[in-house]
Amino acid sequence: MTEDWRDSQEILVMDGRIKVPYAWSAGEVGTTYLESLRDAERFLGTRCPVCGIVYHLPRMHCPDCFEACPEWVELESTGTLVTWTIARRPHPALSPLAPPFGFGVIRLDGADTGFLHLLYGFGVGSLRSGMRVEAVFARERTGSILDVSHFRPSREVV
Amino acid sequence: MERVAVIGVGMTQFARERPAETAADLVFEACTRALEDARLSIEDVDVVITGSNDFFDGRTISSMAVMDACGSYDKNVSTVEGDGTFGAAHALMRVLAGWGTVLYCAHHKGSESVMPLITNAMFDPIFERFLGIEAVTSAALQARAYMDRWGLDEETLALVSVKNHGNAFRNPVAQLPLETTVEDVMGSPYIADPLKRLDCAPVTDGAAAVILADREHARSAGSRAVRVRGVGYSCDAFHLGDRDLADPSALRDAAARAYRGAAIDDPARQIDLAEVSEVFGYMELMWCEGLGLCGPGEAGEMTASGRTARDGDIPVNVSGGCLSANPVLVSGLNRVIECVLQVRGEAGEHQVEGVRTAVAQGFNGPCGQSQCVWVLGGEE
Ligand SMILES: [Zn+2]
């Protein structure tokens, strides 16, 4: 009986990496939106003329009605935390933040839909669904979603 | 629906790392097993469909790299990038389009890449990706929303992990059989609250294949042919903030379509067994509700009462599910294959008595955005 050649084999592994530059268009709606964050610290949504839903993130077309949404709506920088998590594992390639920090779906005042953003700069143990949060804008703004640095518990007086 | 049957199935051994085999080797292994199971040779196959993902494989048009391994030369070939339930649905359509015998295979080598980097890239590059969100943190948002909706605690979510890792002991191809308790799950480190390590599926290498055939070509398989009674799919919004994350509405729609084809109007009574894609423990609860195996918000109680256990009245994931082996893309196909084996009565040690009708579920996209449901077996 001959010994199977595979039994004593050490497997070679080729290390590599795929690195391809991209330049993603933010589109007309995305550009208007990001410019407003950068230049005016103002969130914008779009309203569907048929169902009346105010979308934030804004979009060109209502996915429910399949109609154009040409109307811009100014939104507040405060909102409600719809759901949240606390990231516990560092992923340096994905985020410069050191855990623990939060991700949340936030529904801004004046909008009907939520959007994803970061929650940190406070004890993330206090995170609760339904809590009031407010945006903290970055000092240096470049026309990116990170012109909003993060959200924190709202300091508004009820 | 026209008569279409699954006449052959094949799975590789699933493991955290299978360094000795390339993706093509795994595909060859799965396809060979499916052909043997169907008592066919590759010459009997009219159409070949492959399932792969360029990001996971780290190569452009990854499907082309496995074409040799699935015997596709000179055959009618197409490729599907998405979960195995959708790939198998494409195979079904090829049969319905008049091609007698269709082979579909899917592969995944999770060991060769870095999961969070790849799942991060499924999010919008302008508005979401640079926040650092990926599969686990996004699923955690859904888990929290679901817990909040129904007032569930983390211990209830942990029951799924305990059950499925325990079930995996009876499944020889499963990767991660574990003797574990709710306390063990609760004590495992948080990855993204409320999800802990034991709530999350592992990284897996492996492949699977199925052979579908029309009535005429299914004849050779005899009683081992398992009829496809209904397939449905449905999609929810892409942006997480547009969706009600606690409500599996896309799955409910997909299930309604599959059940219409299968003439099922009371799934909790008419379905004997389910295999669902619980990449995270909480998902099994949500998917059971979406499939109508219980009412909305009732899956936690159903699980706690043991009804979804191996000896319960509606066993869910007796194979160990995705928590015990999660080759992405292949995972949904595994659910279909497990249902086929159960209906045939050939699931070995994890066979459940008297399974006549089984339902399999798979999904694509963050938090189960796009859902696919298969109803297999059952009465003529
Ligand atoms: Zn509308």
Side-chain angles (χ1 to χ4, degrees):
Chain A
M1 215 170 80
T2 55
E3 197 186 317
D4 191 322
W5 57 271
R6 286 169 291 205
D7 290 345
S8 57
Q9 203 184 27
E10 230 175 86
I11 301 298
L12 295 173
V13 174
M14 308 300 145
D15 283 322
R17 123 188 329 260
I18 292 184
K19 213 168 183 177
V20 185
Y22 283 85
W24 292 293
S25 167
E28 290 170 333
V29 168
T31 298
T32 301
Y33 172 79
L34 293 172
E35 282 179 346
S36 172
L37 289 184
R38 182 189 64 194
D39 302 337
E41 298 190 4
R42 171 63 79 183
F43 289 98
L44 296 177
T46 52
R47 191 194 317 271
C48 171
V50 179
C51 67
I53 281 183
V54 175
Y55 285 101
H56 177 262
L57 303 165
R59 64 213 62 193
M60 188 79 99
H61 301 97
C62 175
D64 283 335
C65 307
F66 233 61
E67 290 287 339
C69 300
E71 186 194 345
W72 287 101
V73 181
E74 291 195 354
L75 307 171
E76 301 300 323
S77 297
T78 51
T80 304
L81 187 59
V82 178
T83 184
W84 55 276
T85 183
I86 301 170
R88 302 281 181 178
R89 292 240 169 132
H91 293 300
L94 298 184
S95 172
L97 298 177
F101 64 91
F103 289 103
V105 172
I106 294 143
R107 189 164 53 238
L108 292 179
D109 295 332
D112 293 306
T113 62
F115 84 127
L116 200 61
H117 219 291
L118 298 164
L119 299 149
Y120 62 86
F122 57 96
V124 287
S126 67
L127 285 168
R128 294 291 178 270
S129 300
M131 75 190 282
R132 299 284 299 157
V133 292
E134 65 185 17
V136 178
F137 284 87
R139 236 171 255 135
E140 305 270 318
R141 295 191 300 278
T142 59
S144 118
I145 193 67
L146 289 171
D147 286 357
V148 181
S149 158
H150 59 277
F151 279 76
R152 67 184 175 202
S154 170
R155 292 171 188 175
E156 68 201 349
V157 182
V158 185
Chain B
M1 194 165 77
E2 290 292 311
R3 296 283 299 272
V4 177
V6 180
I7 62 167
V9 299
M11 293 184 285
T12 64
Q13 178 67 48
F14 297 106
R16 173 63 182 80
E17 269 190 298
R18 290 195 53 178
E21 288 84 18
T22 66
D25 295 337
L26 294 174
V27 164
F28 183 77
E29 187 180 325
C31 290
T32 305
R33 287 186 185 184
L35 286 166
E36 272 169 19
D37 185 52
R39 321 309 201 232
L40 294 178
S41 70
I42 194 67
E43 289 76 29
D44 300 317
V45 171
D46 301 306
V47 173
V48 172
I49 297 164
T50 65
S52 61
N53 173 293
D54 292 3
F55 254 54
F56 282 124
D57 284 7
R59 54 200 301 168
T60 310
I61 325 293
S62 53
S63 54
M64 290 301 136
V66 296
M67 285 298 166
D68 302 9
C70 56
S72 64
Y73 283 2
D74 296 330
K75 291 201 197 322
N76 192 324
V77 172
S78 50
T79 64
V80 176
E81 192 265 355
D83 181 68
T85 47
F86 291 86
H90 185 60
L92 170 69
M93 287 182 253
R94 299 301 281 149
V95 176
L96 292 172
W99 298 92
T101 306
V102 178
L103 166 69
Y104 166 61
C105 60
H107 69 269
H108 182 70
K109 287 207 78 177
S111 67
E112 294 187 345
S113 61
V114 183
M115 189 65 77
L117 298 190
I118 292 173
T119 60
N120 168 255
M122 73 178 155
F123 290 94
D124 185 285
I126 309 295
F127 297 110
E128 294 168 336
R129 194 181 295 186
F130 297 121
L131 302 173
I133 190 96
E134 41 71 63
V136 183
T137 37
S138 59
L141 294 170
Q142 183 171 45
R144 173 67 57 196
Y146 176 68
M147 289 169 67
D148 285 343
R149 176 71 46 87
W150 301 110
L152 298 175
D153 55 21
E154 294 180 30
E155 284 82 354
T156 302
L157 272 52
L159 293 169
V160 176
S161 175
V162 173
K163 169 175 72 72
N164 294 359
H165 285 301
N167 284 345
F169 280 105
R170 292 166 178 266
N171 179 1
V173 299
Q175 170 187 346
L176 204 59
L178 282 176
E179 198 72 63
T180 183
T181 64
V182 168
E183 291 69 37
D184 294 334
V185 179
M186 294 302 292
S188 64
Y190 277 102
I191 295 178
D193 309 29
L195 302 179
K196 296 160 291 292
R197 192 169 57 79
L198 285 173
D199 291 314
C200 304
V203 171
T204 302
D205 284 356
V210 285
I211 299 171
L212 273 63
D214 62 18
R215 188 175 206 153
E216 191 192 324
H217 292 83
R219 211 164 281 154
S220 62
S223 63
R224 295 167 68 258
V226 171
R227 192 177 163 201
V228 181
R229 282 183 55 204
V231 175
Y233 31 96
S234 183
C235 192
D236 204 339
F238 171 59
H239 290 292
L240 300 181
D242 287 351
R243 289 160 56 180
D244 178 352
L245 287 174
D247 181 15
S249 59
L251 178 54
R252 211 162 42 237
D253 291 346
R257 285 168 199 157
Y259 294 162
R260 200 177 309 140
I264 283 176
D265 48 25
D266 185 358
R269 197 177 53 77
Q270 290 168 280
I271 289 166
D272 302 314
L273 173 141
E275 284 279 332
V276 305
S277 293
E278 53 13 319
V279 179
F280 303 94
Y282 80 89
M283 284 185 168
E284 180 169 304
L285 306 182
M286 283 189 73
W287 303 161
C288 284
E289 294 170 16
L291 288 168
L293 305 181
C294 61
E298 292 175 4
E301 206 185 303
M302 179 167 77
T303 305
S305 72
R307 290 184 54 209
T308 59
R310 219 175 61 81
D311 57 357
D313 64 306
I314 176 121
V316 179
N317 286 334
V318 290
S319 66
C322 296
L323 285 172
S324 304
N326 187 37
V328 184
L329 310 191
V330 183
S331 285
L333 185 56
N334 284 351
R335 309 280 73 75
V336 171
I337 290 172
E338 288 291 345
C339 286
V340 167
L341 292 173
Q342 289 286 344
V343 170
R344 273 168 35 180
E346 294 179 359
E349 265 197 84
H350 61 292
Q351 179 67 46
V352 171
E353 280 292 302
V355 175
R356 287 190 308 186
T357 304
V359 64
Q361 172 268 351
F363 69 87
N364 280 325
C367 303
Q369 181 195 356
S370 180
Q371 296 276 352
C372 185
V373 175
W374 283 65
V375 181
L376 291 142
E379 298 303 298
E380 284 302 304

